[in-house]
Amino acid sequence: MASSTISCNATDLIPLLSGGANATAAAAAAEFICQRFETVSGKFTDAGYAIDNTYLLFSAYLVFSMQLGFAMLCAGSVRAKNTMNIMLTNVIDAAAGGLFYYLFGFAFAYGAPSNGFIGKHFFGMSDFPKPTFDYPFFLYQWTFAIAAAGITSGSIAERTQFVAYLIYSSFLTGLVYPIVSHWFWSSDGWASPARSENLLFQSGVIDFAGSGVVHMVGGIAGLWGALIEGPRIGRFEQRSKPLTLRGHSATLVVLGTFLLWFGWYGFNPGSFAIIFKSYGTSPGSSFYGQWSAVGRTAVTTTLAGCTAALTTLFGKRLIDGYWNVTDVCNGLLGGFAAITSGCSVVEPWAAVICGFVAAWVLMGFNKLADKLQFDDPLEAAQLHGGCGAWGIIFTGLFADKTYVSEIYGGDPNRPFGLFMGGGGRLLAAHVVQIVVIVGWVSVTMGTLFFVLHKMELLRIPSEDEVAGMDPTSHGGLAYMYTEEEIKNGIMVRGVGGEDDHVQGHVGVL
């Protein structure tokens, strides 16, 4: 991770020190100087490893904080009677994901095929630490795995048996996601841009932080779960138009969104893994290096999310006639999901285009979902699957030649973005990525959800769904209500005139 130690040769120093006299003293002095030089040089090397690993470790902490963001976003997006259920599933995503990614997932993701496919990492990490990666690398990769599982939980919220969450989360983090991350991120993955030879379309797939590897995997898995389960009771039973079953707390949605925004600065910039690297040719004289690329990546991430949020704000105003904070939050996250692929290799102005298109992709898929009576309480399949796919295409169009060369090295003429004059090879590789991810996740997770459905382990009984999962499966409600509210089905308070009052059975929370 850090640069190698600079060597000192005493033989080269002796002529400079002796001046033609007292060669023995000169040799001793040269040896002394080289010993001190090697010590100082080694300290700088140690410091480089420490800086890079600390940077990666704190990036892992940031990405892990996104689990709290997912929890708050999910909790606010479901009805109050299902709050404890969705919070518990987020905890289980992290806990089960941690164990199964350690036992199986990391081996599938980064084990070498030459060592029996899963290498030395199976059932432990006996190969740690080593110069190429240390324990922070495992922790960082684990946070990505549980993020994919968290995406899927939103799609199947409010109607899924808890045992199904346990099964799918373990399967996704232990096998499905790790295989995809191996294909596109491991140095020997068949589509990785880090391969030393035989690059896919001479470029490999540049999915820097996982628009496809993380977001599409989670989104497509959620798509199949929601399709096989079917919509929630009451969602499409009105003939005129679908009934919006709104979540119970816009406050939690906004809180979760800001937590996810904060965590994305570990998700995208942190994916560099190292920061102590100069791009200059003269050591010590360059102010431009990987630290600059990290900052640029944070900027492109920010601009894509901000543009998507504003585009959604005005787009939904034109479509629906009102300003909606939850829609804007989803639009913001759609922009982040899209820029995650190309955040490190595009200019800031291109990130604005990415966010603008991502907002319309999300709104378009949401309209299509209503037409097809597809019910996803958090719009996770549309947001992470749809916007993630757009982000992959976007990178194939706008990847900058200079940034691709700096970050991925190798051939200075390797393919880059089509619209930037780099030809269509990178875009072709990215189309392959989309097809492969959709196919792999559909076969694995689609089959799993279908089997769970046939075994009657997927969806809860209709009477439990109407009553709510908290009182039927988790021992009680998450919030305190009056006896009258509980007796009448936890009635929604409506606003009429100057006073707040209960308007009959407006809806069940």
Side-chain angles (χ1 to χ4, degrees):
M1 297 175 72
S3 58
S4 59
T5 305
I6 302 173
S7 62
C8 176
N9 192 330
T11 303
D12 295 335
L13 291 178
I14 291 174
L16 300 176
L17 296 172
S18 64
N22 200 349
T24 302
E31 186 66 27
F32 177 82
I33 292 172
C34 278
Q35 288 177 354
R36 293 296 181 268
F37 180 85
E38 295 291 349
T39 299
V40 173
S41 177
K43 289 293 184 181
F44 277 113
T45 300
D46 293 344
Y49 283 117
I51 290 169
D52 287 338
N53 277 286
T54 301
Y55 171 70
L56 187 58
L57 193 61
F58 277 91
S59 295
Y61 298 158
L62 280 174
V63 180
F64 182 69
S65 74
M66 296 176 77
Q67 288 301 118
L68 178 57
F70 278 127
M72 296 298 99
L73 180 69
C74 291
S77 299
V78 301
R79 291 164 290 179
K81 62 183 180 180
N82 297 311
T83 304
M84 290 181 67
N85 171 264
I86 199 67
M87 295 289 281
L88 181 57
T89 62
N90 277 270
V91 175
I92 292 303
D93 283 338
L99 183 59
F100 278 84
Y101 191 72
Y102 169 73
L103 292 178
F104 308 105
F106 189 80
F108 286 120
Y110 293 100
S114 58
N115 292 332
F117 181 67
I118 55 179
K120 299 178 181 179
H121 309 302
F122 192 45
F123 285 110
M125 296 179 290
S126 59
D127 210 21
F128 278 62
K130 61 182 183 179
T132 52
F133 52 72
D134 206 335
Y135 287 101
F137 182 78
F138 169 82
L139 192 72
Y140 189 68
Q141 296 304 324
W142 161 68
T143 61
F144 275 61
I146 62 177
I151 291 167
T152 304
S153 67
S155 295
I156 57 178
E158 298 201 293
R159 62 214 193 265
T160 305
Q161 293 188 48
F162 185 68
V163 66
Y165 281 110
L166 289 171
I167 295 172
Y168 100 77
S169 182
S170 302
F171 187 63
L172 183 65
T173 54
L175 176 67
V176 178
Y177 163 81
I179 292 295
V180 177
S181 64
H182 180 84
W183 289 342
F184 301 108
W185 285 348
S186 177
S187 59
D188 57 3
W190 63 268
S192 171
R195 289 179 64 91
S196 58
E197 59 183 1
N198 299 324
L199 288 167
L200 180 65
F201 292 109
Q202 299 178 0
S203 68
V205 170
I206 299 178
D207 188 7
F208 184 72
S211 287
V213 174
V214 178
H215 294 283
M216 275 196 69
V217 167
I220 299 301
L223 171 70
W224 282 106
L227 278 175
I228 292 171
E229 278 194 305
R232 291 166 291 172
I233 295 174
R235 179 73 170 88
F236 295 105
E237 293 178 3
Q238 293 186 3
R239 293 185 178 181
S240 57
K241 64 177 183 178
L243 177 65
T244 301
L245 304 177
R246 291 206 174 274
H248 78 281
S249 176
T251 302
L252 290 178
V253 170
V254 173
L255 174 61
T257 300
F258 274 112
L259 285 169
L260 288 169
W261 189 338
F262 178 65
W264 234 291
Y265 291 126
F267 205 95
N268 286 4
S271 291
F272 279 95
I274 64 173
I275 193 172
F276 191 48
K277 175 183 177 182
S278 174
Y279 293 153
T281 56
S282 301
S285 63
S286 175
F287 62 89
Y288 179 63
Q290 194 112 298
W291 51 86
S292 305
V294 167
R296 183 182 67 248
T297 300
V299 170
T300 57
T301 300
T302 302
L303 291 176
C306 292
T307 304
L310 291 174
T311 304
T312 304
L313 175 70
F314 292 104
K316 295 295 287 186
R317 180 68 172 83
L318 291 173
I319 295 171
D320 297 330
Y322 56 86
W323 316 98
N324 189 291
V325 65
T326 56
D327 288 337
V328 171
C329 287
N330 279 342
L332 175 83
L333 298 178
F336 287 151
I339 195 60
T340 295
S341 172
C343 54
S344 64
V345 295
V346 300
E347 293 281 3
W349 61 263
V352 174
I353 298 174
C354 178
F356 177 79
V357 176
W360 289 107
V361 168
L362 178 58
M363 288 186 282
F365 273 116
N366 284 337
K367 285 293 184 182
L368 179 62
D370 284 345
K371 292 288 185 182
L372 299 177
Q373 297 193 352
F374 172 77
D375 183 23
D376 184 327
L378 274 85
E379 302 175 5
Q382 301 95 295
L383 193 162
H384 298 278
C387 293
W390 154 242
I392 296 168
I393 296 297
F394 162 79
T395 306
L397 297 174
F398 288 95
D400 182 85
K401 179 180 180 179
T402 300
Y403 300 149
V404 170
S405 178
E406 286 174 350
I407 296 168
Y408 292 98
D411 183 3
N413 296 315
R414 66 187 300 160
F416 51 100
L418 176 63
F419 290 170
M420 307 299 288
R425 291 183 178 273
L426 180 61
L427 180 60
H430 284 205
V431 171
V432 170
Q433 182 192 19
I434 293 173
V435 173
V436 167
I437 289 177
V438 171
W440 167 250
V441 179
S442 297
V443 169
T444 53
M445 295 302 296
T447 301
L448 176 65
F449 282 123
F450 182 75
V451 171
L452 291 174
H453 171 68
K454 287 299 182 180
M455 296 177 64
E456 298 184 353
L457 294 175
L458 186 58
R459 185 157 183 161
I460 61 175
S462 58
E463 57 270 20
D464 288 355
E465 184 176 342
V466 172
M469 300 185 69
D470 289 1
T472 59
S473 300
H474 303 288
L477 298 166
Y479 303 104
M480 296 296 295
Y481 297 97
T482 66
E483 292 184 5
E484 181 183 359
E485 287 175 321
I486 295 174
K487 182 174 64 177
N488 289 292
I490 317 173
M491 294 151 58
V492 177
R493 294 191 180 278
V495 178
E498 298 179 357
D499 301 320
D500 288 352
H501 61 280
V502 177
Q503 293 186 335
H505 285 79
V506 176
V508 178
L509 290 175

